[in-house]
Amino acid sequence: MLIVLEKDTTKEQVQIIIRTIEKRGYTARSIPGGDRVSIGILHNKGSVDAAQFLGLSGVKEVIPVTKPYKLVSREFRQENTHVTIGDAVFGNGTMPVIAGPCAVESLEQVLSIARSVQSAGAKLFRGGAFKPRTSPYSFQGLGEKGLEFLAKVREETGLPVVTEVMDVENFDLIEAYVDVVQIGTRNMQNFSLLRRAGKSKKPVILKRGMSAMLQEWLMAAEYIMEEGNSNVILCERGVRTFVQHSRNTLDLSVVPAAKKESHLPIIIDPSHAAGVRDQVIPLAYASAALGADGLMIEVHNNPDKALSDGAQSLYPDQFTTVMKKMDAIRSIIGNDQ
Ligand code: PEP
Ligand code: MN
């Protein structure tokens, strides 16, 4: 349930409303919004009787929330959430691009890629230091050394850095080094990890589970927001289907569907969806045309020698062309969504 307040509600009136909510055993959560000041009711079992709140002074209206998710829903917050990282804003109609290799391999590698993606217009740099690999024999990432290299990239280029956190155990360490933490597809329903991310002050990129429904994905985001972190960016990265011509199937239609249900920004990772660079490129253009709130693209300075995901990594020159064409596409589509 959402309690919408009158514009001129005083602090004292708000306190009385919050106390009334808490006396009933519920949690009150202020929902920042453009014109509308409101308080959400959480942790209610079953429906809440609106009459309990309608009579309180300062209350304009009481809106029942019909969705299982609350904090992430458009019912709770009508305006798009803007997540600002460095000079990138996700959710305001612009389309910042996050680019970099699948895995951090060496300082020279990340610096070289960071410089080229920055000059092509990327706003954030990505690179895995702890890699979730299907095989235990595959390269697992450089660990803390990789985080040090990412910090060096930020120092040298000014680009904010993103990396994946695979478990609660390494959260403190990763959080101390990077600007954005990423929760990968394999961990979308790792609820203790989601709760830990919710306690973080860093923005979180939450990738969609490879077989997750939109509702399950939004519930996962709800875990993060429920713990107090509202800087959540959803990332579609392809789902498992029967096809064999691509690594996954990019679910483009989830973008308008998610935007309808939720105020959170949603970005697209065409790299992990496609698995091969020839498909990454057209999928990036489709994502730009779709009005996505951003993209995440893997780029490598020497894809043939990459320690992970070389086949889907763009060459720096290809990335530069993709960025130019995405800009052109976006200028036709416009930024108002
Ligand atoms: C990644 O972005 O490095 C990654 C492993 O992606 P996903 O979780 O989507 O597979
Ligand atoms: Mn990868």
Side-chain angles (χ1 to χ4, degrees):
M1 177 158 296
L2 192 68
I3 300 182
V4 181
L5 307 182
E6 302 284 3
K7 271 220 178 74
D8 53 359
T9 312
T10 64
K11 276 202 185 103
E12 289 70 33
Q13 286 172 321
V14 172
Q15 278 317 313
I16 292 170
I17 296 165
I18 290 177
R19 271 205 300 277
T20 312
I21 294 171
E22 288 174 348
K23 256 197 277 168
R24 304 261 183 315
Y26 312 138
T27 305
R29 183 75 73 87
S30 306
I31 312 293
D35 293 344
R36 195 173 76 170
V37 185
S38 44
I39 300 174
I41 297 182
L42 305 179
H43 298 135
N44 52 300
K45 298 195 175 53
S47 64
V48 178
D49 181 9
Q52 302 173 68
F53 306 104
L54 271 171
L56 297 175
S57 67
V59 173
K60 186 173 167 212
E61 59 176 325
V62 176
I63 302 174
V65 175
T66 53
K67 308 287 177 179
Y69 33 83
K70 296 170 188 276
L71 295 167
V72 305
S73 75
R74 281 257 182 230
E75 289 180 326
F76 255 53
R77 185 184 155 88
Q78 287 153 349
E79 305 79 19
N80 290 336
T81 283
H82 295 179
V83 178
T84 304
I85 305 159
D87 57 8
V89 184
F90 295 88
N92 71 345
T94 59
M95 194 186 62
V97 176
I98 305 166
C102 184
V104 176
E105 298 169 12
S106 70
L107 182 58
E108 297 66 42
Q109 175 236 18
V110 281
L111 282 174
S112 155
I113 300 169
R115 289 198 176 104
S116 56
V117 298
Q118 183 173 36
S119 64
K123 295 281 187 218
L124 287 93
F125 185 75
R126 64 147 288 150
F130 295 87
K131 292 299 305 173
R133 302 305 299 277
T134 302
S135 163
Y137 307 115
S138 301
F139 177 58
Q140 303 286 305
L142 295 181
E144 188 166 3
K145 198 91 221 133
L147 298 175
E148 286 169 16
F149 295 162
L150 287 172
K152 191 83 184 146
V153 165
R154 178 181 48 225
E155 199 182 305
E156 294 283 318
T157 63
L159 290 175
V161 294
V162 184
T163 206
E164 176 168 352
V165 55
M166 286 203 298
D167 41 47
V168 173
E169 204 181 317
N170 279 330
F171 209 110
D172 290 355
L173 176 75
I174 289 170
E175 189 180 39
Y177 277 98
V178 301
D179 304 285
V180 185
V181 291
Q182 176 176 317
I183 294 183
T185 191
R186 295 159 187 82
N187 268 316
M188 189 205 80
Q189 282 188 317
N190 179 339
F191 298 115
S192 42
L193 186 63
L194 296 172
R195 284 199 189 282
R196 175 62 187 82
K199 293 195 174 76
S200 177
K201 297 271 177 290
K202 300 279 163 85
V204 179
I205 292 177
L206 177 64
K207 288 200 156 190
R208 180 183 181 184
M210 60 184 87
S211 305
M213 294 189 296
L214 172 58
Q215 283 70 16
E216 293 165 325
W217 190 14
L218 293 177
M219 289 309 283
E222 185 83 13
Y223 266 86
I224 302 173
M225 286 197 72
E226 200 258 342
E227 292 289 342
N229 190 346
S230 47
N231 286 318
V232 181
I233 299 169
L234 302 169
C235 177
E236 159 63 24
R237 47 79 69 201
V239 290
R240 267 300 159 84
T241 66
F242 49 86
V243 307
Q244 293 184 335
H245 59 263
S246 61
R247 184 174 177 180
N248 291 286
T249 298
L250 185 60
D251 180 10
L252 291 171
S253 61
V254 83
V255 173
K259 280 175 177 285
K260 191 164 168 233
E261 291 293 306
S262 175
H263 52 82
L264 294 175
I266 176 164
I267 66 171
I268 297 185
D269 167 356
S271 306
H272 291 88
V276 283
R277 72 178 69 84
D278 290 354
Q279 291 181 18
V280 172
I281 295 171
L283 291 179
Y285 298 149
S287 307
L290 197 62
D293 294 310
L295 275 92
M296 174 181 275
I297 300 179
E298 285 188 345
V299 180
H300 200 288
N301 55 345
N302 193 354
D304 302 338
K305 296 266 163 55
L307 297 181
S308 98
D309 286 350
Q312 68 195 32
S313 300
L314 300 191
Y315 290 90
D317 286 355
Q318 284 180 310
F319 179 69
T320 304
T321 308
V322 166
M323 289 293 280
K324 282 192 188 127
K325 290 196 186 174
M326 285 198 307
D327 260 359
I329 292 169
R330 199 61 175 211
S331 70
I332 298 170
I333 300 300
N335 279 343
D336 50 321
Q337 297 142 55

